Amino acid sequence: MDKNQSTQRAAETTRTAVPAAVIKRLPRYHRFLGELLREGRGRISSAELSKIMGVTASQIRQDLNCFGGFGQQGYGYNIEYLYGKISELLGVNEAYRAVIVGAGNLGKALAASRMFERRGVKKLALFDVDKSIIGTKIYGLPVYSIDDLHDFCTENSVDIGVLTVPKEAANSVATTLVLAGVRGIWNYASTELTLGGGNVAIENIHLGDSLMTLCYEIKSQGEMPSDGDEE
Amino acid sequence: MDKNQSTQRAAETTRTAVPAAVIKRLPRYHRFLGELLREGRGRISSAELSKIMGVTASQIRQDLNCFGGFGQQGYGYNIEYLYGKISELLGVNEAYRAVIVGAGNLGKALAASRMFERRGVKKLALFDVDKSIIGTKIYGLPVYSIDDLHDFCTENSVDIGVLTVPKEAANSVATTLVLAGVRGIWNYASTELTLGGGNVAIENIHLGDSLMTLCYEIKSQGEMPSDGDEE
DNA sequence: TAGATTGTTAATCGATTAACAATC
DNA sequence: TAGATTGTTAATCGATTAACAATC
């Protein structure tokens, strides 16, 4: 558990640049480690984890080392410690504050979801243009007029805006959010935001793209001479 | 428009293997080309498209060539033709038939969405365990008992199963779908399916992973010495 | 100590970009 | 024909895998 001082360099110096490919994999590690943790497992080797996750042990060790030495030779990785470290790296439990813009079917589904709270993100309110729902509550969240979006965000230090508006409205709402100091946009509008400059993180959810990829894969199945590829 | 015979090899021989990286980009091309088409544009060069999409012209030409010569030297690409070709490649408009399993908030939101029909995928029904909604209709779709899932799928040649069930139920429902001949699963349950062998396409939507990535990006913003990186 | 397993370097592989000849 | 722009090869870059010495 306690490491001697001479091996401590890595953690300090490796603040250079974590490859994008590694970052994209972190949430998946987080998911599997969380599962192992709930199963009560205490430690795991890169070899065993590689089997569970279907990736190479080499990749796991390489990935985890981008952030410093989380493991211990001859022992493996302490799951709880590793899980905590990855949570920290990802910014989970930073207590970010979010609003959902667009109270349609998808907005409502997200309002009902506990996905946010599980990652330490707090939902504050919904916003919409529909006067018939403004002033009501949806799954415990107040619904406000989109006209109040800017002021609400500045007054409540909102960090994250979830966009579930029609694509025609997406860019205008996004601009409002950014001007109100929001730092990240989770974009479900099926269009790409054109936010010039600003230091804002954008995560796009293009469900339509995913559906098309699925269609492609289905279509491609037939073309292959059936290889029986497993494991 | 008409090509002389001597240049026709590529389209025939390149059935080898399209890199996965290219396939992942196809839906995005499709989206942008569809937009250009609606704007009434007739043709476009890789150079102009590269500016709009924010990728290199080289990559565009390289990507499109995996499937054969869609362009014309000195002219560029015919947007309508290219859009059609990519649609075809992706399997859009193959008239696939889908069911949605899980009629919770997300299932309902998907039932209401026109995303399916826009890509030629037909929604046939919803399935759930909740007796209070079985027999009703949601956005015009009948809701059936999950006990009838297998038989419905075989009798109606269902191609796609959309999974919006709690993660505990995901693997069992997925198995039922596969045994009933479904060829693709669109998985919204936040777990990974463990379907041994079977020739089934799986597209996972891990919304939680995306939210975590967004948190990471927000957190990382601060750490950078503000570079003003644009264009 | 001996065995196990990481951290890390070197080798391989694949994907992106640059360059230019082919050709519309 | 001259200009434009693709198709395609070669060069670069980054990511993955293999190997093994360091070390718990």
Side-chain angles (χ1 to χ4, degrees):
Chain A
M1 231 8 118
D2 45 353
K3 306 190 136 208
N4 81 51
Q5 292 301 100
S6 65
T7 64
Q8 209 176 288
R9 19 170 189 72
E12 247 60 40
T13 48
T14 328
R15 204 155 287 297
T16 35
V18 181
V22 175
I23 290 171
K24 280 211 306 263
R25 283 192 289 267
L26 285 181
R28 189 156 182 268
Y29 286 124
H30 192 265
R31 202 145 29 80
F32 277 89
L33 290 168
E35 193 61 43
L36 287 163
L37 202 55
R38 274 191 297 278
E39 286 169 14
R41 293 287 310 273
R43 73 181 203 195
I44 195 161
S45 70
S46 58
E48 191 188 351
L49 189 56
S50 87
K51 267 195 218 140
I52 299 175
M53 295 186 60
V55 297
T56 65
S58 215
Q59 181 167 80
I60 291 173
R61 293 203 297 278
Q62 194 80 277
D63 283 356
L64 298 181
N65 247 72
C66 292
F67 304 98
F70 291 164
Q72 202 169 203
Q73 278 104 329
Y75 173 90
Y77 298 87
N78 178 302
I79 295 175
E80 189 170 5
Y81 176 76
L82 187 52
Y83 181 78
K85 276 292 176 190
I86 293 180
S87 300
E88 217 176 275
L89 281 165
L90 283 170
V92 162
N93 299 322
E94 288 276 317
Y96 289 132
R97 299 154 72 80
V99 294
I100 299 172
V101 189
N105 286 297
L106 189 55
K108 274 182 232 166
L110 290 172
S113 147
R114 270 150 296 136
M115 170 169 53
F116 294 84
E117 286 69 21
R118 279 206 203 96
R119 287 162 186 83
V121 177
K122 186 153 170 47
K123 289 176 298 225
L124 302 182
L126 284 153
F127 290 84
D128 206 290
V129 292
D130 181 352
K131 292 207 166 63
S132 73
I133 57 170
I134 291 170
T136 66
K137 289 206 169 194
I138 293 180
Y139 297 107
L141 291 179
V143 183
Y144 298 126
S145 163
I146 205 154
D147 296 336
D148 301 327
L149 182 59
H150 175 94
D151 291 354
F152 183 94
C153 289
T154 53
E155 283 161 24
N156 293 278
S157 321
V158 171
D159 304 291
I160 296 175
V162 185
L163 269 192
T164 68
V165 297
K167 69 163 176 274
E168 299 71 34
N171 270 297
S172 128
V173 172
T175 304
T176 303
L177 287 168
V178 173
L179 290 176
V182 157
R183 298 157 68 196
I185 294 180
W186 204 17
N187 178 32
Y188 284 79
S190 36
T191 185
E192 295 192 23
L193 303 177
T194 53
L195 289 171
N199 197 19
V200 179
I202 297 178
E203 232 341 80
N204 292 300
I205 300 283
H206 287 302
L207 296 180
D209 286 10
S210 174
L211 179 57
M212 280 200 275
T213 303
L214 183 64
C215 290
Y216 174 86
E217 284 163 10
I218 292 174
K219 193 176 128 96
S220 308
Q221 282 169 359
E223 279 169 24
M224 291 176 198
S226 116
D227 203 90
D229 109 275
E230 201 211 336
E231 221 267 325
Chain B
M1 228 11 120
D2 45 353
K3 304 190 139 211
N4 82 49
Q5 292 301 101
S6 66
T7 64
Q8 209 177 289
R9 15 166 196 77
E12 246 60 41
T13 48
T14 326
R15 202 157 288 298
T16 36
V18 181
V22 175
I23 290 171
K24 280 210 308 261
R25 284 193 288 265
L26 285 181
R28 189 155 180 268
Y29 286 125
H30 191 266
R31 207 147 25 81
F32 277 89
L33 290 168
E35 193 59 43
L36 287 163
L37 202 55
R38 275 191 296 277
E39 286 168 14
R41 293 288 308 272
R43 73 180 202 194
I44 196 161
S45 69
S46 59
E48 192 188 350
L49 189 56
S50 86
K51 265 193 220 142
I52 299 176
M53 295 186 59
V55 297
T56 65
S58 215
Q59 181 166 81
I60 291 173
R61 293 203 299 277
Q62 194 81 277
D63 283 358
L64 298 182
N65 247 72
C66 292
F67 305 99
F70 291 164
Q72 202 169 203
Q73 279 105 331
Y75 172 89
Y77 298 87
N78 177 301
I79 295 174
E80 189 170 6
Y81 176 77
L82 187 52
Y83 181 77
K85 276 293 177 191
I86 293 180
S87 300
E88 218 177 272
L89 282 164
L90 283 171
V92 163
N93 299 322
E94 288 276 319
Y96 289 132
R97 299 153 71 81
V99 295
I100 299 172
V101 190
N105 286 297
L106 190 53
K108 275 182 232 165
L110 291 171
S113 147
R114 270 150 297 136
M115 167 169 55
F116 295 84
E117 286 69 22
R118 278 205 204 97
R119 286 160 187 85
V121 177
K122 186 155 171 44
K123 288 176 299 223
L124 302 182
L126 283 152
F127 290 84
D128 206 291
V129 292
D130 181 352
K131 291 206 170 59
S132 72
I133 56 169
I134 292 170
T136 66
K137 289 205 168 194
I138 292 180
Y139 298 106
L141 291 178
V143 183
Y144 298 126
S145 163
I146 206 153
D147 296 336
D148 301 327
L149 182 60
H150 176 95
D151 291 354
F152 183 93
C153 289
T154 53
E155 282 160 25
N156 293 278
S157 320
V158 171
D159 304 292
I160 296 174
V162 185
L163 271 191
T164 67
V165 299
K167 68 163 178 272
E168 300 72 34
N171 270 298
S172 128
V173 172
T175 305
T176 303
L177 287 167
V178 173
L179 291 174
V182 157
R183 297 157 69 196
I185 293 180
W186 204 17
N187 178 33
Y188 282 79
S190 36
T191 186
E192 294 191 24
L193 303 177
T194 52
L195 289 171
N199 197 20
V200 180
I202 296 177
E203 220 1 66
N204 293 301
I205 299 283
H206 287 302
L207 296 181
D209 286 11
S210 175
L211 179 56
M212 279 199 275
T213 303
L214 183 64
C215 290
Y216 174 86
E217 285 163 8
I218 291 174
K219 194 175 126 95
S220 308
Q221 281 168 1
E223 280 170 24
M224 291 176 197
S226 119
D227 204 86
D229 106 275
E230 202 211 334
E231 222 264 328

